[in-house]
Amino acid sequence: MEAFMTFLSNSWVASLMYGWAWTWPICETIHFFGMTILFGAIATTDLRLMGFFKQMPIQATHVLINIAIVGFVLNLITGIMFFCGDSFRYVPNISFQIKMVLILLAGANALYFTFKLQPTWGEWDPHGNPPQIARIVGASSLALWTGVIIFGRLIPYLGTG
Amino acid sequence: MGFLYWLESTSLANWVGASLWGYPIMLTIHSVGLAIVVGLVFIMSIRFLGVMQGVSIGSVSRLFPFAWFGFAINTVSGLALFTLQASWYVTSVPFLLKITGIVIGVVMMVLMQKEFKKSGDGLDSASEAPQNLKTFAIISLVAWSVGMIGGRFIAYI
């Protein structure tokens, strides 16, 4: 791990992050944009799954996935850039660790929805409440992504590093 | 300016500034509120501009109350953060840019909602947004983007 982190610190990405004083703030701003895009798309889907605004057919939320992916990719790229630039601080940071675990859980939750629930959602009432398991998946997703934002923002304030 | 110095001397300002957790907690709440209000406004705006035709304009407009909820969170947390260094914030260019963006963004939210109230069920079932709504949506996207960029750069300029 140590060797890998040293490798990252010496990589061209790390020099890009520190070569110009504005790279880091610009990437942070893009990271915020990615966050709002991802959260907006995910939260809309989650709220509908939880039973809000039934005017929206549940199956129509499918079009939000592409928007969510745009936000996620933006943040994956900028996130990796931050990590390359400062891995020695991130790795031992408890808030960063919690954030990563929450992202993995949110990902698993999304995969469960995609592969277990979505194949059967043709039978759901478009303007009704989805089955309870889908409501739980929606609420979990909303809670997990909110947690990702919370612990992401707390990285500079929590724990060591 | 007297008012701003008074704000900085309130017990709220003291708590945000002096307690170990006041500032990070407010900042974190502010980030969550940001994701809610801007995230949902982005989704609505791009839908009005013709992206994601699979969802109806009317059903997307049901997100307004949730967006206002995020805005309320950020008004409260934003004011708490503001009391901390009120007299400094009002001289910060990124802060002033941010506030300008937010004010325009909020006006656009109100105007967009008015379009829905005005047209009633007509707009609910429309597959394409009228020109007014599209114009508001573009201004809204730009305004909230400026608000967010300004906000992020308060820490750097």
Side-chain angles (χ1 to χ4, degrees):
Chain A
M1 193 68 193
E2 192 97 354
F4 177 62
M5 283 148 67
T6 309
F7 164 76
L8 288 182
S9 315
N10 295 321
S11 67
W12 63 270
V13 184
S15 33
L16 177 75
M17 294 308 283
Y18 292 109
W20 186 43
W22 294 108
T23 317
W24 201 287
I26 289 170
C27 286
E28 268 187 351
T29 307
I30 298 172
H31 208 66
F32 269 63
F33 271 91
M35 168 186 89
T36 52
I37 295 168
L38 173 65
F39 190 83
I42 295 271
T44 305
T45 308
D46 293 341
L47 288 170
R48 179 60 192 92
L49 285 177
M50 289 162 72
F52 291 100
F53 42 87
K54 297 199 176 72
Q55 299 87 349
M56 183 185 287
I58 294 189
Q59 295 82 356
T61 56
H62 190 62
V63 294
L64 290 155
I65 302 291
N66 294 331
I67 310 288
I69 290 174
V70 171
F72 186 78
V73 169
L74 278 179
N75 278 16
L76 185 64
I77 295 171
T78 46
I80 289 174
M81 289 169 76
F82 297 136
F83 190 79
C84 291
D86 218 355
S87 57
F88 282 94
R89 269 178 211 250
Y90 285 119
V91 170
N93 183 284
I94 183 71
S95 197
F96 175 78
Q97 293 166 356
I98 296 173
K99 175 180 178 175
M100 290 304 122
V101 171
L102 291 176
I103 292 176
L104 289 179
L105 290 174
N109 192 51
L111 288 178
Y112 178 80
F113 179 74
T114 309
F115 292 107
K116 286 285 178 193
L117 300 182
Q118 256 186 342
T120 67
W121 77 349
E123 298 152 21
W124 304 352
D125 174 7
H127 298 287
N129 265 326
Q132 179 154 24
I133 181 71
R135 277 179 273 159
I136 294 172
V137 165
S140 315
S141 164
L142 196 57
L144 287 167
W145 285 111
T146 305
V148 170
I149 298 176
I150 291 173
F151 287 98
R153 198 65 195 85
L154 287 175
I155 290 173
Y157 302 98
L158 263 184
T160 52
Chain B
M1 283 308 259
F3 172 68
L4 299 176
Y5 289 125
W6 171 79
L7 268 183
E8 290 173 8
S9 70
T10 57
S11 51
L12 176 66
N14 271 325
W15 177 72
V16 175
S19 75
L20 188 58
W21 288 106
Y23 188 71
I25 286 174
M26 282 302 155
L27 211 53
T28 302
I29 295 174
H30 206 62
S31 300
V32 173
L34 160 82
I36 298 174
V37 58
V38 183
L40 298 181
V41 168
F42 273 1
I43 292 296
M44 289 190 281
S45 300
I46 61 174
R47 175 60 192 94
F48 300 155
L49 289 170
V51 184
M52 309 183 290
Q53 308 237 340
V55 274
S56 76
I57 291 177
S59 57
V60 167
S61 75
R62 301 304 199 280
L63 290 171
F64 274 117
F66 297 94
W68 283 117
F69 169 68
F71 181 71
I73 293 177
N74 273 20
T75 307
V76 175
S77 56
L79 283 173
L81 291 166
F82 182 73
T83 60
L84 185 61
Q85 301 181 64
S87 59
W88 177 79
Y89 278 125
V90 295
T91 63
S92 153
V93 174
F95 175 80
L96 297 173
L97 207 63
K98 165 180 175 165
I99 297 300
T100 310
I102 293 173
V103 169
I104 298 173
V106 166
V107 171
M108 289 307 123
M109 267 171 91
V110 173
L111 290 177
M112 289 194 283
Q113 259 188 311
K114 269 201 171 144
E115 287 292 309
F116 282 94
K117 285 207 182 98
K118 213 167 61 187
S119 67
D121 292 344
L123 201 45
D124 252 14
S125 50
S127 61
E128 202 183 323
Q131 191 54 49
N132 271 355
L133 199 55
K134 285 186 180 173
T135 310
F136 298 150
I138 291 178
I139 301 174
S140 145
L141 283 176
V142 175
W144 285 108
S145 299
V146 168
M148 223 157 57
I149 295 169
R152 199 54 275 210
F153 275 83
I154 292 172
Y156 294 100
I157 297 181

